[in-house]
Every structure is written in C-alpha cells, then in structure tokens.
Amino acid sequence: MYLTPDEEKLMNGESGPTYQKAIEILAALGDIYGADRLIPIKSAQIAGVSYKTIGDAGLEWISDLKGKVVVPSILNPAGMDLECWREMGISEDFAYKQQEIIKAYEAIGVRTECSCAPYNIYDDLAIFGDHVAWSESSAISYANSVIGARTNREGGPSALSAALLGKTPNYGFHLDENRRPVILIEVEPELYDSDYGALGYIVGEMIGDKVPVFDLNTIPTKDELRSLGAAMAASGSVAMYHVRGVTMESSKYELPLEKITIEEQQIKEIYKMGEPDLIAFGCPHSSIEELEKLARLLDGKKVKKEVWICTSRALKNKHPELIKRIEKSGAKVFCDTCMVVSPASEKFKCMMVNSGKAHKYVPNLCGVKSILARTEDCIRVAVSE
C-alpha cells in the first residue's frame, strides 16, 4: 500500500509511538485487503469500551496512548450507566475500572457519549458518500445501508487508529464494486416492528457476510431498517444491505440472479413463548420515536416485572418529560450501556427483547435465555400479573 511522505514519517516513529502504532495497524490492514492508499474519513465510532469485554489489558492499552484524535470520534456503549450504575447492581470495583476506561478515551479527545447509535446524537458524523471508520456492527450496517456513508467493519483498535490519523485504508465498502448486492431476498409476509429483527436474524444466518437486496411488501421505518441490519450483523456478519425503493443505493445496481424467499412461517418460528424476569429494550439504543412509542404503551400502567430501556444520555437529557412518563410506570431508563455489554444482565435467567440483535447476543454473551417478541407484546407481559 502506498504511503505519503508524511505517512512514512509516522511509520518511522517521528511523531511518537502512539501514531506509529496507529499507522502500523492501518497499513497492515491495507496490505492484507489490497488497499491502494489511505483515504480521509469524516468520523470514527470506537468499540472496545465495556470493561466486561476489554478487561484490564484493554484499559492498560488505552491508558498508554499519547495523542489526540483528529476527527469527531464517539464511543460504543460502556458496561454500565455511568451515573446510575448502583441502580443496575454494578460492583464498585467494576464501576471504578469502567470510569478509568472512559477517562482514558476522554484524554485523547474521544467524545464520551457512549452509544451504538451515534447518528441519533449527531447528524454531522456521516452523510451520503462520506467515508467513516465505525466499529459497532449495527452502526456499520446503518451507515452503509441507510445513510449511504462508507465504512468497513472496523475493530476497536483500527477505528481508534483511524480516529488518531483521520484516515482509513481504501478497500472493502469504500469501493463501489463491493457495495453491489449479490443475493435477492424476497419476503412474502408483511412485516411490522420486531418482524424486521426476526427477518434479519434468519437472513444473517443464511448469507454470512454477503450483501443482500430485499424485496419487501411493506415500507420500513428507519428504526425498522436499523433493526433489520442490526440482526443480520449479529447472526451473520452483514455490513451492508439494500431494500428496493427504500435505501439510498437500492436503484444503483442490477438485481442479482441468486434468490432466497422468506415465508411467513419462518418469521413466526423465531418468536417463542417463555417467562422472562427481565424485559429489555434498546439494542441498538432506543431512538426518540421508540421512546415515544414506549411512553404511549406505558401511560397509566405499572410494570410488574423488571423493565430496562437503554438509550443515549443525549436523548434522555433532551427529553426529560418523556423519560418521566416512562419511569412513572416503574420501568428504568439506562444510558451509556445496554443489556448485551453490561454484566448486570447476568443476574437474570430469561430476558424478553424486541431486538433480533439482542436475541442473538444475550444467550451467547450474557448466558441468559432470550425471548423475541413485538414491542406491544413485551409491554403486555411487563404489566401483567
């Protein structure tokens, strides 16, 4: 991969070991994937935040970095609500280590709004055609598919390296030819709410990392598109998809010859009954529209089970009256974290979610049985005796 004279100087350590390591990481990725050069990026979204997932080794690595990010950079969810961690049942030792991770990122200029949905906080992180370096699987899918920005599926270290240099290797989804759909998904049933997560759960397992184009009978909302992409990224490793007549680049490419048909019974089979002791929303973090829907469903009701709603602190602070309506029911609104990356989830036996992504990750990462249900059904169970 070609490096400019200034990039060669970074490689030689002339700006210090942090920048040297950053360009070594990016150059290695570029060489592996056949990139011709590094290209400028608009923003970075960095995974590797929860102490549950990165531990002491990750904390030590981040704390040793000496430098500043040069593009707007935001963090993935942490392992706890940074203010209300006691209410989650987080230990003081975990809380201390988690706060140290946040401070280490803050020291190098990373914004510490911890969210897997940064586009709901800042609308200038990515617009159509922008090159970015994002590392949370659902955010990557949303950026490529719904926003029409361009990002590969970055790891935490490569996204952080890109943030420090303001560049990323030019390969993968940064190139037109790799954004082309290779398989058509024809969906027979009409879909609503978490049906999109169920569809993504099914399709991700079937196609792995291929780029699909969907032919749907219904027009999804942006939140439903996000649910679809998040689930495919979790059950497979889909980083981009198209929906005919809906997503930004859906008319740019010809339809592929390979086709899969999804029938109504396949969607229904993802929904299972059970007896949850936790009902959790916000994977990815709840948008303002999702918070408003939950508030309407909870108005005048009291929850009889533990209910968590995860969202960004920015949205919670911006809409205090809406949060009060939700919390009046007894539901708890947590920020900075989610049910997947927090160890607080591990004390429960069975979790009901409206997210295909959470439905995939909760059993594997938390050791907790998962039940997928539509939002209305989740609330019905939450308020029933």
Side-chain angles (χ1 to χ4, degrees):
M1 186 181 72
Y2 170 75
L3 295 180
T4 67
D6 286 341
E7 290 163 357
E8 290 283 5
K9 290 178 182 179
L10 292 173
M11 185 70 81
N12 293 332
E14 294 185 22
S15 295
T18 293
Y19 294 102
Q20 183 180 34
K21 178 55 69 176
I23 197 161
E24 285 175 351
I25 290 171
L26 297 185
L29 284 172
D31 287 339
I32 290 168
Y33 293 106
D36 59 345
R37 60 193 168 94
L38 297 176
I39 54 173
I41 58 168
K42 178 79 169 291
S43 66
Q45 193 262 352
I46 302 163
V49 184
S50 173
Y51 179 65
K52 173 184 173 179
T53 56
I54 70 170
D56 291 321
L59 171 56
E60 182 179 357
W61 183 74
I62 300 162
S63 299
D64 286 342
L65 297 175
K66 306 297 179 186
K68 292 287 183 180
V69 300
V70 295
V71 294
S73 305
I74 192 168
L75 290 181
N76 214 34
M80 65 184 196
D81 187 304
L82 297 176
E83 294 181 6
C84 302
W85 52 270
R86 289 184 179 84
E87 288 88 330
M88 296 189 77
I90 297 292
S91 71
E92 290 194 8
D93 180 63
F94 185 98
Y96 172 78
K97 294 292 183 65
Q98 184 64 77
Q99 293 286 4
E100 289 299 299
I101 292 170
I102 301 301
K103 290 176 185 176
Y105 277 119
E106 195 169 31
I108 59 173
V110 178
R111 299 174 181 178
T112 54
E113 297 99 333
C114 300
S115 179
C116 49
Y119 41 83
N120 284 339
I121 303 175
Y122 299 104
D123 57 12
D124 61 346
L125 290 177
I127 60 174
F128 182 82
D130 281 342
H131 295 277
V132 298
W134 290 11
S135 60
E136 201 281 328
S137 61
S138 70
I140 293 162
S141 174
Y142 193 88
N144 279 324
S145 311
V146 183
I147 298 174
R150 298 183 171 218
T151 181
N152 288 318
R153 192 164 178 157
E154 302 284 357
S158 65
L160 181 52
S161 298
L164 288 163
L165 300 181
K167 301 177 181 182
T168 195
N170 187 36
Y171 72 93
F173 292 104
H174 295 285
L175 305 174
D176 279 348
E177 58 263 30
N178 296 318
R179 300 172 72 83
R180 184 185 309 278
V182 298
I183 186 166
L184 173 64
I185 311 296
E186 189 176 75
V187 182
E188 292 186 346
E190 294 186 355
L191 304 179
Y192 167 72
D193 194 69
S194 62
D195 294 344
Y196 286 92
L199 173 63
Y201 187 99
I202 295 166
V203 172
E205 288 189 334
M206 296 175 75
I207 69 170
D209 62 355
K210 293 180 180 179
V211 178
V213 56
F214 287 86
D215 189 4
L216 301 175
N217 289 321
T218 45
I219 299 176
T221 66
K222 285 188 175 181
D223 285 327
E224 289 169 337
L225 286 172
R226 185 175 65 151
S227 179
L228 170 64
M232 282 193 290
S235 66
S237 52
V238 176
M240 181 174 186
Y241 65 93
H242 305 274
V243 177
R244 292 186 67 189
V246 177
T247 53
M248 300 288 280
E249 299 176 43
S250 63
S251 61
K252 186 175 180 178
Y253 303 102
E254 293 183 0
L255 292 179
L257 296 177
E258 185 180 357
K259 184 177 78 169
I260 294 174
T261 299
I262 302 298
E263 301 175 350
E264 185 172 9
Q265 185 59 34
Q266 290 173 271
I267 301 292
K268 289 181 177 179
E269 286 174 358
I270 301 298
Y271 294 108
K272 306 290 183 182
M273 296 304 294
E275 193 62 39
D277 51 351
L278 171 64
I279 299 168
F281 305 91
C283 181
H285 274 173
S286 296
S287 67
I288 181 60
E289 292 81 9
E290 289 170 321
L291 291 173
E292 287 172 343
K293 180 176 182 176
L294 289 167
R296 289 194 302 271
L297 292 171
L298 288 167
D299 277 341
K301 300 180 176 70
K302 290 290 184 182
V303 299
K304 305 299 193 299
K305 298 180 184 292
E306 184 84 357
V307 177
W308 293 358
I309 299 166
C310 300
T311 190
S312 68
R313 189 165 300 281
L315 286 188
K316 181 179 180 180
N317 290 343
K318 189 175 180 179
H319 303 280
E321 293 303 317
L322 182 59
I323 300 303
K324 284 181 182 177
R325 281 174 59 196
I326 292 171
E327 292 182 332
K328 189 175 181 180
S329 71
K332 299 173 182 176
V333 179
F334 290 127
C335 303
D336 316 312
T337 190
C338 80
M339 72 291 289
V340 172
V341 299
S342 177
S345 300
E346 296 167 8
K347 62 187 176 183
F348 297 96
K349 294 180 179 179
C350 182
M351 188 186 309
M352 176 175 277
V353 296
N354 68 341
S355 159
K357 174 186 175 181
H359 185 53
K360 178 65 178 182
Y361 280 155
V362 162
N364 296 333
L365 300 180
C366 305
V368 178
K369 182 181 177 183
S370 174
I371 304 166
L372 180 66
R374 286 179 172 176
T375 303
E376 290 87 348
D377 291 330
C378 289
I379 296 299
R380 178 182 54 77
V381 172
V383 301
S384 62
E385 294 289 353

